[in-house]
Coordinates of all heavy atoms in Angstrom, one line a residue:
M150 N 41.1 93.7 19.9 CA 41.2 94.0 18.5 C 40.0 94.8 18.1 O 39.0 94.9 18.7 CB 41.2 92.6 17.8 CG 42.1 91.6 18.1 SD 42.9 90.6 16.9 CE 43.6 91.8 15.7
A151 N 40.3 95.6 17.0 CA 39.3 96.4 16.5 C 38.7 95.8 15.1 O 39.4 95.1 14.4 CB 39.8 97.8 16.2
D152 N 37.4 96.1 14.9 CA 36.9 95.7 13.6 C 37.3 96.7 12.4 O 38.2 97.6 12.7 CB 35.4 95.5 13.6 CG 34.6 96.9 14.0 OD1 35.3 97.9 13.8 OD2 33.4 96.8 14.2
A153 N 36.8 96.6 11.3 CA 37.2 97.3 10.1 C 36.9 98.8 10.3 O 37.5 99.7 9.7 CB 36.4 96.8 8.8
R154 N 35.9 99.1 11.2 CA 35.5 100.5 11.4 C 36.4 101.2 12.5 O 36.2 102.2 12.9 CB 34.0 100.6 11.7 CG 33.1 100.2 10.6 CD 31.7 100.2 11.1 NE 31.7 99.2 12.2 CZ 30.6 99.0 12.9 NH1 29.5 99.7 12.8 NH2 30.6 98.1 13.8
G155 N 37.3 100.3 13.2 CA 38.0 100.9 14.3 C 37.3 100.8 15.6 O 37.8 101.2 16.6
E156 N 36.2 100.1 15.6 CA 35.5 99.9 16.9 C 36.0 98.8 17.6 O 36.4 97.8 17.0 CB 34.0 99.7 16.6 CG 33.3 101.0 16.2 CD 33.3 102.1 17.0 OE1 32.9 101.9 18.3 OE2 33.5 103.2 16.7
P157 N 36.1 98.8 18.9 CA 36.5 97.6 19.7 C 35.7 96.3 19.5 O 34.5 96.5 19.4 CB 36.5 98.2 21.2 CG 36.4 99.6 21.1 CD 35.8 99.9 19.8
T158 N 36.3 95.2 19.7 CA 35.6 93.9 19.6 C 35.2 93.5 20.9 O 35.4 94.1 21.9 CB 36.4 92.9 18.8 OG1 37.7 92.7 19.5 CG2 36.9 93.4 17.4
A159 N 34.7 92.3 21.0 CA 34.2 91.7 22.3 C 35.4 91.6 23.3 O 35.2 91.7 24.5 CB 33.6 90.4 22.1
A160 N 36.6 91.4 23.0 CA 37.8 91.1 23.8 C 38.4 92.5 24.2 O 39.4 92.5 24.8 CB 38.8 90.2 23.2
S161 N 37.7 93.6 23.7 CA 38.3 95.0 24.1 C 37.1 95.8 24.5 O 35.9 95.5 24.3 CB 39.1 95.4 23.0 OG 38.3 95.7 21.8
M162 N 37.5 97.0 24.9 CA 36.4 98.0 25.3 C 36.9 99.4 24.9 O 38.1 99.6 25.0 CB 36.2 97.8 26.8 CG 35.2 98.8 27.4 SD 35.1 98.5 29.2 CE 33.4 98.1 29.2
R163 N 36.1 100.4 24.7 CA 36.4 101.7 24.5 C 37.1 102.3 25.7 O 36.6 102.0 26.8 CB 35.2 102.6 24.0 CG 34.7 102.4 22.7 CD 33.5 103.2 22.4 NE 33.7 104.6 22.7 CZ 33.6 105.6 21.8 NH1 33.5 105.3 20.6 NH2 33.8 106.9 22.2
L164 N 38.1 103.0 25.6 CA 38.7 103.6 26.7 C 37.8 104.5 27.5 O 37.8 104.4 28.8 CB 39.9 104.6 26.2 CG 40.7 105.3 27.3 CD1 41.3 104.4 28.2 CD2 41.7 106.1 26.5
D165 N 37.0 105.3 26.9 CA 36.1 106.2 27.7 C 35.1 105.4 28.5 O 34.8 105.7 29.6 CB 35.4 107.3 26.8 CG 34.6 106.7 25.8 OD1 34.8 105.5 25.3 OD2 33.5 107.4 25.3
R166 N 34.6 104.4 27.9 CA 33.7 103.4 28.6 C 34.4 102.7 29.8 O 33.8 102.7 30.9 CB 33.0 102.4 27.7 CG 32.1 103.0 26.8 CD 31.2 102.0 26.0 NE 30.3 101.4 27.0 CZ 29.8 100.2 26.9 NH1 30.1 99.4 25.9 NH2 29.0 99.6 27.8
F167 N 35.6 102.3 29.6 CA 36.3 101.7 30.7 C 36.6 102.6 31.9 O 36.3 102.4 33.0 CB 37.6 101.2 30.2 CG 38.4 100.5 31.3 CD1 38.2 99.2 31.7 CD2 39.4 101.2 31.9 CE1 39.0 98.7 32.7 CE2 40.2 100.7 33.0 CZ 39.9 99.5 33.4
L168 N 36.9 103.9 31.6 CA 37.2 104.8 32.6 C 36.0 105.1 33.4 O 36.0 105.3 34.6 CB 37.8 106.1 32.1 CG 39.2 106.1 31.3 CD1 39.6 107.3 30.6 CD2 40.2 105.7 32.3
W169 N 34.8 105.3 32.7 CA 33.6 105.5 33.4 C 33.1 104.3 34.2 O 32.7 104.4 35.3 CB 32.5 105.9 32.3 CG 31.2 106.2 32.9 CD1 30.9 107.2 33.8 CD2 29.9 105.5 32.6 NE1 29.6 107.1 34.1 CE2 28.9 106.1 33.4 CE3 29.6 104.4 31.8 CZ2 27.6 105.7 33.4 CZ3 28.3 104.0 31.8 CH2 27.3 104.6 32.6
H170 N 33.2 103.1 33.5 CA 32.7 101.9 34.3 C 33.5 101.7 35.6 O 32.9 101.2 36.6 CB 32.8 100.6 33.4 CG 31.6 100.5 32.5 ND1 30.5 99.7 32.7 CD2 31.3 101.1 31.3 CE1 29.7 99.8 31.7 NE2 30.2 100.7 30.8
V171 N 34.7 101.9 35.5 CA 35.5 101.6 36.8 C 35.6 102.8 37.7 O 36.4 102.8 38.6 CB 36.9 101.0 36.4 CG1 36.9 99.8 35.7 CG2 37.8 102.1 35.7
R172 N 34.9 103.8 37.5 CA 34.7 105.0 38.4 C 36.0 105.8 38.4 O 36.2 106.5 39.5 CB 34.2 104.5 39.7 CG 32.9 104.0 39.6 CD 32.4 103.5 41.0 NE 31.0 103.0 40.9 CZ 30.0 103.8 41.1 NH1 30.2 105.1 41.4 NH2 28.7 103.4 41.0
I173 N 36.8 105.8 37.4 CA 38.0 106.9 37.3 C 37.4 108.1 36.9 O 37.9 109.2 37.4 CB 39.0 106.3 36.4 CG1 39.7 105.1 37.0 CG2 40.0 107.4 36.1 CD1 40.7 104.3 36.3
A174 N 36.4 108.2 36.1 CA 35.7 109.4 35.8 C 34.3 109.3 36.2 O 33.6 108.3 36.2 CB 35.7 109.6 34.2
K175 N 33.7 110.5 36.7 CA 32.4 110.5 37.3 C 31.4 110.4 36.2 O 30.2 109.9 36.4 CB 32.2 111.8 38.1 CG 32.9 111.8 39.4 CD 32.5 113.0 40.2 CE 33.3 112.9 41.5 NZ 32.8 114.0 42.4
T176 N 31.6 110.9 35.0 CA 30.6 110.9 33.9 C 31.3 110.4 32.6 O 32.5 110.5 32.5 CB 30.1 112.3 33.6 OG1 31.1 113.1 33.1 CG2 29.3 112.9 34.8
R177 N 30.6 110.0 31.7 CA 31.1 109.5 30.4 C 31.8 110.6 29.6 O 32.8 110.5 29.0 CB 29.9 108.8 29.6 CG 30.3 108.4 28.3 CD 30.7 106.8 28.3 NE 31.0 106.4 26.9 CZ 30.4 105.8 26.0 NH1 29.2 105.6 26.3 NH2 30.9 105.5 24.9
S178 N 31.2 111.8 29.8 CA 31.7 113.0 29.1 C 33.2 113.3 29.7 O 34.1 113.8 29.0 CB 30.8 114.2 29.0 OG 30.5 114.5 30.3
A179 N 33.2 113.2 30.9 CA 34.5 113.5 31.7 C 35.5 112.4 31.2 O 36.7 112.7 31.1 CB 34.3 113.4 33.2
A180 N 35.0 111.1 31.0 CA 36.0 110.1 30.6 C 36.5 110.4 29.2 O 37.6 110.2 28.8 CB 35.2 108.8 30.6
Q181 N 35.6 110.9 28.3 CA 35.9 111.3 27.0 C 36.9 112.4 27.0 O 37.9 112.4 26.3 CB 34.7 111.7 26.1 CG 33.8 110.6 25.8 CD 32.5 111.0 25.2 OE1 32.1 112.1 25.4 NE2 31.8 110.0 24.6
A182 N 36.8 113.3 27.9 CA 37.7 114.5 28.0 C 39.1 114.0 28.4 O 40.1 114.4 27.8 CB 37.2 115.6 28.9
I183 N 39.2 113.1 29.4 CA 40.5 112.6 29.8 C 41.1 111.9 28.6 O 42.3 112.0 28.4 CB 40.2 111.6 30.9 CG1 39.8 112.3 32.2 CG2 41.5 110.8 31.3 CD1 39.3 111.5 33.4
A184 N 40.4 111.1 27.9 CA 41.0 110.3 26.9 C 41.5 111.2 25.6 O 42.4 110.9 24.9 CB 40.0 109.3 26.3
C185 N 40.6 112.3 25.4 CA 41.1 113.1 24.3 C 42.0 114.3 24.6 O 42.5 114.9 23.6 CB 39.7 113.8 23.7 SG 38.6 112.6 23.0
E186 N 42.4 114.4 25.8 CA 43.4 115.5 26.1 C 44.7 115.2 25.6 O 45.6 116.0 25.5 CB 43.4 115.6 27.7 CG 42.4 116.4 28.2 CD 42.5 116.5 29.7 OE1 43.3 115.8 30.3 OE2 41.8 117.3 30.3
G187 N 45.1 113.9 25.3 CA 46.3 113.5 24.8 C 47.4 113.2 25.9 O 48.6 113.2 25.6
R188 N 46.9 113.2 27.1 CA 47.8 113.0 28.3 C 47.8 111.5 28.8 O 48.3 111.2 29.8 CB 47.5 113.9 29.4 CG 47.8 115.4 29.0 CD 47.6 116.3 30.1 NE 47.8 117.7 29.7 CZ 47.4 118.7 30.2 NH1 46.8 118.6 31.3 NH2 47.8 119.9 29.8
M189 N 46.9 110.7 28.2 CA 46.8 109.3 28.6 C 47.6 108.5 27.7 O 47.8 108.7 26.5 CB 45.3 108.9 28.4 CG 45.0 107.5 28.4 SD 44.2 106.7 29.8 CE 43.4 107.9 30.8
R190 N 48.2 107.4 28.2 CA 49.0 106.5 27.5 C 48.5 105.1 27.8 O 48.1 104.7 29.0 CB 50.5 106.6 27.9 CG 51.2 107.8 27.6 CD 52.6 107.9 28.1 NE 53.1 109.1 27.8 CZ 54.0 109.3 26.7 NH1 54.2 108.3 25.9 NH2 54.5 110.5 26.5
I191 N 48.4 104.4 26.8 CA 48.2 102.9 26.8 C 49.5 102.1 26.4 O 49.8 102.3 25.3 CB 46.9 102.5 25.9 CG1 45.7 103.2 26.3 CG2 46.8 100.9 26.0 CD1 44.6 103.0 25.4
D192 N 50.0 101.4 27.3 CA 51.2 100.6 27.0 C 52.3 101.5 26.4 O 53.0 101.2 25.6 CB 50.9 99.4 26.2 CG 50.0 98.4 26.9 OD1 50.1 98.3 28.1 OD2 49.5 97.7 26.0
G193 N 52.4 102.8 27.0 CA 53.4 103.7 26.5 C 53.1 104.5 25.3 O 53.8 105.5 25.0
R194 N 52.1 104.2 24.6 CA 51.5 105.0 23.4 C 50.6 106.2 23.8 O 49.7 105.8 24.6 CB 50.8 104.1 22.4 CG 51.4 103.1 21.6 CD 50.5 102.4 20.7 NE 49.1 102.5 20.9 CZ 48.4 101.5 21.5 NH1 48.9 100.4 21.9 NH2 47.1 101.8 21.7
T195 N 50.9 107.3 23.4 CA 49.9 108.4 23.7 C 48.6 108.2 23.0 O 48.6 107.8 21.8 CB 50.6 109.7 23.2 OG1 51.8 109.9 23.9 CG2 49.7 110.9 23.6
V196 N 47.6 108.4 23.7 CA 46.2 108.3 23.1 C 45.5 109.6 23.1 O 45.6 110.3 24.0 CB 45.4 107.3 23.9 CG1 44.0 107.2 23.5 CG2 46.0 105.9 24.0
D197 N 44.8 109.9 22.0 CA 44.0 111.1 21.9 C 42.7 111.0 21.4 O 42.0 111.9 20.9 CB 44.8 112.2 21.0 CG 44.9 111.6 19.6 OD1 44.6 110.5 19.3 OD2 45.5 112.4 18.7
R198 N 42.1 109.8 21.6 CA 40.7 109.6 21.2 C 40.1 108.6 22.2 O 40.6 107.7 22.7 CB 40.7 109.0 19.8 CG 41.4 107.7 19.6 CD 41.5 107.3 18.0 NE 42.1 106.0 17.9 CZ 41.4 104.9 17.9 NH1 40.2 104.8 17.9 NH2 42.2 103.8 17.7
A199 N 38.8 108.9 22.4 CA 38.0 108.1 23.4 C 37.7 106.7 22.9 O 37.5 105.9 23.7 CB 36.7 108.9 23.7
A200 N 37.7 106.4 21.6 CA 37.4 105.2 21.1 C 38.5 104.2 21.0 O 38.4 103.1 20.6 CB 36.8 105.3 19.7
A201 N 39.7 104.6 21.6 CA 40.9 103.8 21.6 C 40.5 102.5 22.4 O 39.8 102.5 23.4 CB 42.0 104.4 22.3
A202 N 40.9 101.3 21.9 CA 40.5 100.1 22.5 C 41.5 99.7 23.6 O 42.7 99.9 23.5 CB 40.5 99.0 21.4
V203 N 40.9 99.3 24.8 CA 41.8 98.7 25.8 C 41.4 97.2 26.1 O 40.3 96.8 25.7 CB 41.5 99.5 27.1 CG1 42.0 100.9 26.9 CG2 40.0 99.5 27.5
R204 N 42.3 96.5 26.4 CA 42.3 95.0 26.7 C 42.8 94.7 28.0 O 43.5 95.5 28.7 CB 43.0 94.3 25.6 CG 42.5 94.5 24.3 CD 43.5 93.9 23.2 NE 43.1 94.3 21.9 CZ 43.3 95.5 21.3 NH1 44.0 96.5 22.0 NH2 42.9 95.8 20.2
I205 N 42.5 93.5 28.4 CA 43.1 93.0 29.7 C 44.6 92.9 29.5 O 45.1 92.5 28.5 CB 42.5 91.6 30.0 CG1 41.0 91.7 30.3 CG2 43.2 91.0 31.3 CD1 40.3 90.4 30.5
G206 N 45.3 93.5 30.6 CA 46.8 93.5 30.5 C 47.3 94.8 30.1 O 48.5 95.0 30.4
N207 N 46.5 95.6 29.5 CA 47.1 97.0 29.1 C 47.4 97.7 30.4 O 46.7 97.7 31.4 CB 46.0 97.8 28.3 CG 45.8 97.4 26.9 OD1 44.8 97.5 26.4 ND2 46.9 97.0 26.3
I208 N 48.5 98.6 30.3 CA 48.9 99.5 31.3 C 48.4 101.0 30.9 O 48.7 101.4 29.8 CB 50.4 99.5 31.5 CG1 50.9 98.1 31.8 CG2 50.8 100.4 32.6 CD1 50.6 97.5 33.1
L209 N 47.7 101.6 31.8 CA 47.1 103.0 31.6 C 48.0 103.9 32.4 O 48.0 103.7 33.6 CB 45.7 103.1 31.8 CG 44.7 102.2 31.1 CD1 43.3 102.6 31.5 CD2 44.9 102.4 29.6
T210 N 48.5 105.0 31.8 CA 49.2 106.0 32.6 C 48.6 107.4 32.3 O 48.4 107.7 31.2 CB 50.7 106.0 32.2 OG1 51.2 104.7 32.3 CG2 51.5 107.0 33.0
F211 N 48.2 108.1 33.4 CA 47.5 109.4 33.2 C 47.6 110.2 34.5 O 47.9 109.7 35.6 CB 46.0 109.1 32.9 CG 45.2 108.3 33.9 CD1 44.5 109.0 34.9 CD2 45.3 107.0 33.8 CE1 43.9 108.3 35.9 CE2 44.6 106.3 34.8 CZ 43.9 106.8 35.8
A212 N 47.5 111.5 34.3 CA 47.5 112.4 35.4 C 46.1 112.6 35.9 O 45.1 112.7 35.1 CB 48.0 113.8 34.9
T213 N 46.0 112.7 37.2 CA 44.6 112.7 37.8 C 44.1 114.2 37.6 O 44.8 115.1 37.4 CB 44.7 112.5 39.3 OG1 45.6 113.3 39.9 CG2 45.1 111.1 39.6
Q214 N 42.8 114.2 37.7 CA 42.0 115.5 37.7 C 41.4 115.8 38.9 O 41.5 115.0 39.9 CB 40.9 115.3 36.6 CG 41.4 114.9 35.3 CD 42.2 115.9 34.6 OE1 41.8 117.1 34.6 NE2 43.2 115.5 33.9
G215 N 40.9 117.0 39.1 CA 40.2 117.4 40.3 C 41.2 117.8 41.5 O 42.2 118.3 41.2
P216 N 40.8 117.5 42.8 CA 41.6 118.0 43.8 C 43.0 117.3 44.0 O 43.8 118.0 44.5 CB 40.7 117.6 45.0 CG 39.7 116.6 44.6 CD 39.5 116.9 43.1
E217 N 43.1 116.2 43.4 CA 44.4 115.6 43.4 C 45.2 115.8 42.1 O 46.1 115.1 41.8 CB 44.3 114.0 43.5 CG 43.3 113.6 44.6 CD 42.8 112.2 44.4 OE1 42.9 111.7 43.2 OE2 42.3 111.7 45.3
R218 N 44.9 116.9 41.5 CA 45.5 117.3 40.2 C 47.0 117.1 40.2 O 47.7 117.5 41.1 CB 45.0 118.7 39.9 CG 45.6 119.1 38.5 CD 45.0 120.4 38.1 NE 44.7 120.3 36.7 CZ 43.5 120.8 36.2 NH1 42.7 121.3 37.0 NH2 43.2 120.6 35.0
G219 N 47.5 116.6 39.1 CA 48.9 116.4 38.9 C 49.6 115.2 39.3 O 50.7 114.9 39.0
I220 N 48.9 114.3 40.1 CA 49.4 113.0 40.4 C 49.2 112.0 39.3 O 48.2 111.9 38.7 CB 48.7 112.5 41.7 CG1 48.9 113.5 42.9 CG2 49.2 111.1 42.1 CD1 48.0 113.1 44.1
V221 N 50.4 111.4 38.9 CA 50.4 110.4 37.9 C 49.9 109.0 38.4 O 50.5 108.5 39.4 CB 51.7 110.3 37.2 CG1 51.7 109.2 36.1 CG2 52.1 111.7 36.5
R222 N 49.0 108.4 37.7 CA 48.4 107.1 38.2 C 48.8 106.2 37.1 O 48.8 106.4 35.9 CB 46.9 107.1 38.3 CG 46.4 107.9 39.5 CD 45.0 107.7 39.7 NE 44.5 106.4 40.0 CZ 43.2 106.0 40.2 NH1 42.3 106.9 39.9 NH2 42.9 104.8 40.4
V223 N 49.2 105.0 37.5 CA 49.5 103.9 36.6 C 48.6 102.7 37.0 O 48.8 102.3 38.2 CB 51.1 103.5 36.6 CG1 51.3 102.4 35.6 CG2 51.9 104.7 36.3
I224 N 47.8 102.1 36.2 CA 47.0 101.0 36.5 C 47.1 100.0 35.3 O 47.4 100.3 34.2 CB 45.5 101.4 36.6 CG1 44.9 102.0 35.3 CG2 45.4 102.4 37.8 CD1 43.4 102.2 35.5
R225 N 46.9 98.7 35.8 CA 46.9 97.5 34.9 C 45.5 97.1 34.8 O 44.9 96.8 35.9 CB 47.9 96.4 35.3 CG 47.7 95.3 34.3 CD 48.7 94.0 34.7 NE 49.0 94.0 36.0 CZ 50.4 94.0 36.5 NH1 51.3 94.2 35.6 NH2 50.6 94.0 37.7
I226 N 45.0 96.9 33.6 CA 43.6 96.4 33.5 C 43.5 94.8 33.7 O 44.3 94.1 33.2 CB 43.0 96.6 32.0 CG1 43.0 98.1 31.8 CG2 41.7 96.0 31.8 CD1 42.7 98.5 30.4
E227 N 42.7 94.4 34.7 CA 42.7 93.0 35.2 C 41.5 92.4 34.5 O 41.5 91.1 34.4 CB 42.6 92.9 36.7 CG 43.8 93.4 37.3 CD 45.0 92.6 37.2 OE1 45.0 91.4 36.9 OE2 46.2 93.3 37.1
A228 N 40.4 93.1 34.3 CA 39.1 92.6 33.7 C 38.4 93.7 33.0 O 38.6 94.8 33.4 CB 38.3 92.0 34.8
L229 N 37.5 93.3 32.1 CA 36.7 94.4 31.4 C 35.4 94.4 32.1 O 34.7 93.3 32.0 CB 36.6 94.1 29.9 CG 37.9 94.3 29.2 CD1 37.8 93.8 27.7 CD2 38.6 95.5 29.3
P230 N 34.9 95.5 32.6 CA 33.6 95.5 33.3 C 32.4 95.5 32.3 O 32.5 95.8 31.2 CB 33.7 96.8 34.0 CG 34.5 97.7 33.2 CD 35.5 96.8 32.6
V231 N 31.3 94.8 32.8 CA 30.1 94.7 31.9 C 29.1 95.8 32.3 O 28.2 96.0 31.5 CB 29.4 93.3 32.0 CG1 30.4 92.3 31.5 CG2 29.2 93.1 33.5
R232 N 29.3 96.4 33.4 CA 28.5 97.6 33.9 C 29.2 98.5 34.8 O 30.3 98.2 35.3 CB 27.2 97.0 34.6 CG 27.6 96.3 36.0 CD 26.4 95.7 36.6 NE 26.8 95.1 37.9 CZ 26.2 95.4 39.0 NH1 25.2 96.3 39.0 NH2 26.6 95.0 40.2
R233 N 28.5 99.6 35.1 CA 29.1 100.6 36.1 C 28.5 100.1 37.4 O 27.4 100.6 37.8 CB 28.7 102.0 35.8 CG 29.3 102.9 36.7 CD 28.9 104.4 36.2 NE 29.2 105.4 37.2 CZ 30.3 106.0 37.5 NH1 31.4 105.7 36.8 NH2 30.4 106.9 38.4
G234 N 29.1 99.3 38.1 CA 28.7 98.8 39.3 C 29.1 99.5 40.6 O 29.7 100.6 40.4
P235 N 29.1 98.9 41.7 CA 29.6 99.6 42.9 C 31.1 99.7 42.9 O 31.8 98.9 42.2 CB 29.1 98.6 44.1 CG 28.9 97.3 43.4 CD 28.5 97.6 42.0
P236 N 31.7 100.5 43.8 CA 33.1 100.8 43.8 C 33.9 99.5 44.0 O 35.0 99.4 43.2 CB 33.3 101.8 44.9 CG 32.0 102.5 45.0 CD 31.0 101.5 44.7
A237 N 33.6 98.6 44.8 CA 34.3 97.4 45.1 C 34.5 96.5 43.8 O 35.5 96.0 43.4 CB 33.7 96.5 46.2
E238 N 33.3 96.5 43.0 CA 33.3 95.7 41.8 C 34.1 96.5 40.8 O 34.9 95.9 40.0 CB 31.8 95.7 41.2 CG 31.7 94.9 40.0 CD 30.2 94.8 39.6 OE1 29.3 94.5 40.5 OE2 29.9 95.1 38.4
A239 N 34.1 97.8 40.7 CA 34.8 98.6 39.7 C 36.4 98.3 40.0 O 37.1 98.2 39.1 CB 34.5 100.0 39.9
H240 N 36.7 98.4 41.3 CA 38.2 98.3 41.7 C 38.7 97.0 41.3 O 40.0 96.9 41.1 CB 38.4 98.8 43.1 CG 39.8 98.8 43.5 ND1 40.6 99.9 43.0 CD2 40.6 98.0 44.2 CE1 41.9 99.7 43.4 NE2 41.8 98.5 44.2
A241 N 37.9 96.0 41.3 CA 38.4 94.6 41.0 C 38.8 94.5 39.5 O 39.6 93.6 39.1 CB 37.3 93.6 41.3
C242 N 38.4 95.5 38.7 CA 38.8 95.5 37.2 C 40.2 96.0 36.9 O 40.6 95.9 35.8 CB 37.7 96.3 36.5 SG 36.1 95.6 36.5
Y243 N 40.8 96.6 38.0 CA 42.2 97.1 37.6 C 43.0 96.9 38.9 O 42.5 96.8 40.0 CB 42.2 98.6 37.1 CG 41.6 99.5 38.1 CD1 42.5 100.3 38.9 CD2 40.4 99.8 38.2 CE1 42.0 101.2 39.8 CE2 39.8 100.8 39.1 CZ 40.7 101.5 39.9 OH 40.3 102.4 40.7
Q244 N 44.4 97.0 38.6 CA 45.3 97.0 39.8 C 46.1 98.3 39.7 O 46.6 98.7 38.6 CB 46.2 95.8 39.6 CG 47.3 95.7 40.7 CD 48.1 94.5 40.5 OE1 48.1 93.9 39.6 NE2 49.1 94.3 41.5
E245 N 46.2 99.0 40.8 CA 46.9 100.2 40.9 C 48.4 99.8 41.1 O 48.8 99.1 41.9 CB 46.4 101.0 42.2 CG 46.9 102.4 42.3 CD 46.1 103.3 41.4 OE1 44.8 103.2 41.4 OE2 46.7 104.2 40.8
L246 N 49.3 100.4 40.2 CA 50.7 100.1 40.1 C 51.5 101.2 40.8 O 52.6 101.1 41.1 CB 51.1 99.9 38.7 CG 50.5 98.7 38.0 CD1 51.0 98.5 36.6 CD2 50.6 97.4 38.7
T247 N 50.9 102.3 41.1 CA 51.6 103.5 41.7 C 51.3 103.3 43.2 O 50.3 102.9 43.7 CB 51.0 104.9 41.1 OG1 49.6 104.9 41.3 CG2 51.5 105.1 39.8
T248 N 52.2 103.9 44.0 CA 52.1 103.9 45.4 C 52.0 105.3 46.0 O 52.4 106.2 45.4 CB 53.3 103.2 46.1 OG1 54.5 103.8 45.7 CG2 53.3 101.6 45.7

């Protein structure tokens, strides 16, 4: 849920922070760019802002960047990370739904 200012509450997290914490984006600014491009979907809704709230159970759909450009990834959020930890810890926060 979001508070009156639109900021995520404790049971949610900003989209850009989530992407950075789980190592989908190398930097926070890269995570903001992914979120603001308008090519990311949360539960089927198009998102165009980095402050969009994500929660456990949300499905994220987005096209990859970099060398794997154009591959569509679909992930389900399993946990909200508290820090940007090692890759194994980061991967435990989501489940890859694409094969």
